[in-house]
């Protein structure tokens, strides 16, 4: 446990007791009033607080910033205005629209969830937490967001933003990497809810807004906070120590090598990755564990051109992706000659469903689900045209 994060027993409440002080009981009231006056009211999914757009935005927001999600949300709502439209779409199209949002299992679950809601609930999201958490890709916090915002149910959301606000507000100093402590905080969150169910949509939006715009990780704007007068961390100068998380994920670093082969028609070789591992089922380029292995997969006398390395962060992994451009009979000119014979290199790469490579035009690449680093390299390829 980091020394800097240990709170003294005199200053921090030892164990989260499942009760609130009289002052803390005013939390919901102050938050609701603040949300009405100062909260966010112009997010695209707030125009229509129906379960479909709320669910769509919540799934997109699970690991992604609001600023990024806005454009994706609009794109999905334009293409799939009703849940039935999403359910009937081809998975390839859904994943193509999802490309760039990352955490691609969310995109696949989104599609599967739409199909389940249409098949099992006639296209209407269920209102109970119990039914919601059984749907693909809907965890307890997303279920609570839908249940509280759309059905005024007294369900407490608990994502990273909310955990930060509540640990600070309550002086909750237990280690949130342990599930027993997560449950303890959840119990307290449930106690903080407003007494009237009709206030739940505003309350849930308020706590999300507070975490996103006031009680932020590093920029903490206590002077604008509606619950400052009863906030434990503010009173005891413990803001930077909370929330306490002793087990920080250490990302491993890895280099991978992608072959970006181009033929005379300016098509790029690619295929679907295997179902398992990172970017499962997405379209990408042949991948190798070393530059030597990549070169060995090509005809003996050949040149490859190193492209700009793409850095990509995953939850547990920090990737350096080295892209090597290969054009048959490369002469150093960036544009392949139109007279060249179309040749498909016999590559055996890791992480793919062999022999699943095909030449794909740039328009075709734009229509398939692909990880962001693939799009980054395709941009570099486009610049050669
Ligand atoms: S007073 Fe400061 S630390 Fe406490 S909840 Fe408000 S913004 Fe967060």
């Amino acid at each position: 446990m980091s020394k800097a994060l240990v709170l003294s027993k005199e200053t921090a409440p030892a164990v989260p007791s499942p009760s609130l002080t009289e002052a803390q009981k005013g939390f919901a009231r102050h938050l609701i009033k603040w949300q009405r006056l100062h909260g966010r009211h112009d997010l695209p999914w707030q125009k229509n607080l129906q379960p479909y757009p709320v669910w769509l935005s919540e799934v997109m927001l699970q690991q992604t910033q609001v600023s990024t999600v806005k454009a994706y949300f609009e794109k999905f709502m334009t293409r799939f205005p009703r849940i039935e439209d999403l359910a009937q779409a081809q998975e390839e199209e859904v994943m193509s629209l999802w490309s760039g949002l990352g955490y691609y299992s969310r995109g696949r679950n989104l599609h599967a969830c739409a199909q389940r809601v249409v098949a099992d609930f006639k296209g209407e999201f269920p209102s109970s937490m119990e039914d919601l958490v059984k749907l693909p890709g809907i965890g307890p916090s997303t279920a609570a967001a839908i249940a509280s915002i759309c059905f005024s149910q007294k369900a407490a959301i608990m994502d990273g933003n909310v955990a930060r606000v509540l640990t600070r507000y309550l002086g909750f100093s237990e280690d949130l990497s342990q599930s027993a402590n997560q449950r303890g905080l959840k119990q307290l969150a449930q106690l903080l809810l407003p007494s009237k169910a009709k206030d739940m949509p505003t309350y849930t939006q308020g706590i999300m807004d507070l975490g996103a715009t006031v009680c932020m990780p590093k920029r903490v704007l206590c002077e604008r906070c509606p619950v400052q007068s009863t906030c434990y961390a503010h009173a005891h100068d413990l803001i930077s120590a909370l929330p306490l998380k002793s087990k920080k994920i250490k990302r491993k670093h890895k280099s991978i090598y992608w072959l970006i082969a181009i033929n005379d028609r300016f098509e790029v070789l690619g295929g679907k990755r295997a179902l398992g591992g990172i970017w499962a089922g997405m379209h990408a380029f042949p991948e190798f564990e070393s530059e030597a292995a990549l070169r060995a997969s090509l005809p003996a006398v050949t040149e490859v051109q190193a492209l700009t390395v793409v850095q990509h962060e995953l939850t547990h992994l920090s990737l350096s992706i080295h892209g090597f451009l290969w054009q048959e009979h490369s002469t150093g000119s960036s544009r392949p000659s139109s007279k060249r014979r179309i040749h498909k290199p016999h590559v055996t790469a890791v992480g793919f469903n062999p022999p699943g490579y095909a030449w794909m035009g740039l328009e075709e690449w734009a229509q398939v689900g692909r990880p962001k680093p693939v799009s980054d390299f395709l941009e570099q390829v486009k610049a050669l045209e």
Side-chain angles (χ1 to χ4, degrees):
M1 185 181 289
S2 154
K3 273 188 187 165
L5 294 179
V6 176
L7 307 180
S8 81
K9 291 291 170 193
E10 293 85 61
T11 56
V15 175
S17 81
S19 64
L20 300 176
T21 65
E22 278 309 307
Q24 289 166 342
K25 286 179 187 161
F27 180 84
R29 192 165 29 88
H30 293 301
L31 189 64
I32 289 165
K33 198 170 159 198
W34 173 84
Q35 203 290 324
R36 290 191 177 124
L37 290 173
H38 304 292
R40 297 174 296 182
H41 296 274
D42 54 0
L43 297 170
W45 43 92
Q46 290 178 314
K47 286 180 203 151
N48 172 11
L49 291 182
Q50 293 302 309
Y52 175 52
V54 169
W55 160 73
L56 187 60
S57 65
E58 284 298 321
V59 173
M60 289 179 170
L61 288 165
Q62 279 167 8
Q63 316 275 354
T64 313
Q65 302 278 335
V66 166
S67 53
T68 306
V69 165
K70 280 181 181 172
Y72 281 87
F73 175 83
E74 302 279 18
K75 205 162 53 168
F76 267 74
M77 287 305 287
T78 303
R79 172 62 190 87
F80 310 117
R82 303 168 314 136
I83 193 165
E84 287 81 2
D85 304 317
L86 179 55
Q88 285 159 14
Q90 294 295 316
E91 184 181 285
E92 206 57 79
E93 186 186 4
V94 177
M95 295 313 292
S96 168
L97 283 180
W98 191 272
S99 293
L101 260 182
Y103 298 91
Y104 294 96
S105 58
R106 286 185 304 164
R108 264 183 286 278
N109 278 331
L110 187 86
H111 191 217
C113 181
Q115 292 176 329
R116 281 273 297 282
V117 171
V118 169
D120 297 352
F121 298 95
K122 298 188 178 142
E124 302 287 341
F125 271 88
S127 60
S128 77
M129 285 287 291
E130 198 189 355
D131 285 336
L132 284 166
V133 291
K134 288 184 192 150
L135 292 169
I138 297 192
S141 190
T142 303
I146 299 168
S148 61
I149 294 173
C150 307
F151 302 109
S152 295
Q153 303 245 0
K154 292 183 71 171
I157 60 166
M158 185 55 71
D159 60 12
N161 277 351
V162 174
R164 184 174 61 252
V165 171
L166 294 187
T167 52
R168 287 173 177 170
Y169 178 72
L170 297 165
F172 186 99
S173 60
E174 305 303 311
D175 182 354
L176 284 185
S177 65
Q178 292 176 17
S179 51
N181 294 331
Q182 291 169 12
R183 281 197 300 278
L185 185 62
K186 186 87 192 285
Q187 280 180 357
L188 289 166
Q190 199 68 29
L191 291 177
L192 285 166
L193 298 180
S195 54
K196 292 179 190 149
K198 72 173 176 56
D199 288 329
M200 279 307 300
T202 312
Y203 175 86
T204 298
Q205 189 59 53
I207 200 160
M208 292 196 289
D209 292 354
L210 195 67
T213 65
V214 175
C215 196
M216 295 175 279
K218 299 223 165 75
R219 264 184 85 222
V220 192
L221 309 175
C222 297
E223 67 282 6
R224 297 194 198 163
C225 180
V227 292
Q228 188 213 82
S229 63
T230 53
C231 173
Y232 192 94
H234 183 261
H236 295 84
D237 197 17
L238 290 170
I239 295 168
S240 58
L242 294 170
L244 184 68
K245 253 189 187 171
S246 64
K247 260 200 255 160
K248 287 231 164 104
I249 294 170
K250 278 196 194 137
R251 280 200 186 121
K252 283 188 190 160
H253 178 263
K254 192 178 172 189
S255 287
I256 55 175
Y257 300 81
W258 282 357
L259 173 66
I260 298 153
I262 302 182
N263 70 16
D264 284 7
R265 295 197 294 244
F266 220 71
E267 294 165 326
V268 186
L269 192 69
K272 246 186 179 188
R273 293 178 66 97
L275 289 174
I278 56 173
W279 303 315
M282 308 287 287
H283 279 77
F285 311 117
E287 179 176 315
F288 299 85
E289 281 169 348
S290 67
E291 185 181 335
L294 181 147
R295 287 178 182 274
S297 75
L298 294 168
V301 184
T302 193
E303 285 176 30
V304 289
Q305 177 189 339
L307 297 176
T308 306
V309 176
V310 170
Q311 300 294 341
H312 191 70
E313 304 300 322
L314 298 163
T315 312
H316 297 277
L317 208 54
S318 175
L319 286 174
S320 295
I321 307 173
H322 302 259
F324 287 91
L325 184 71
W326 178 80
Q327 301 173 13
E328 192 185 11
H329 307 306
S330 175
T331 58
S333 99
S334 58
R335 184 79 169 86
S337 155
S338 59
K339 289 185 190 140
R340 281 184 210 140
R341 186 167 52 87
I342 295 172
H343 174 88
K344 189 166 159 185
H346 295 284
V347 290
T348 310
V350 294
F352 276 80
N353 281 326
Y357 302 120
W359 292 113
M360 296 166 61
L362 294 180
E363 310 73 40
E364 208 179 332
W365 276 102
Q367 283 161 22
V368 296
R370 62 204 180 280
K372 181 157 185 312
V374 167
S375 302
D376 293 344
F377 279 117
L378 287 172
E379 285 301 316
Q380 295 191 48
V381 168
K382 262 189 219 162
L384 301 173
E385 266 194 303

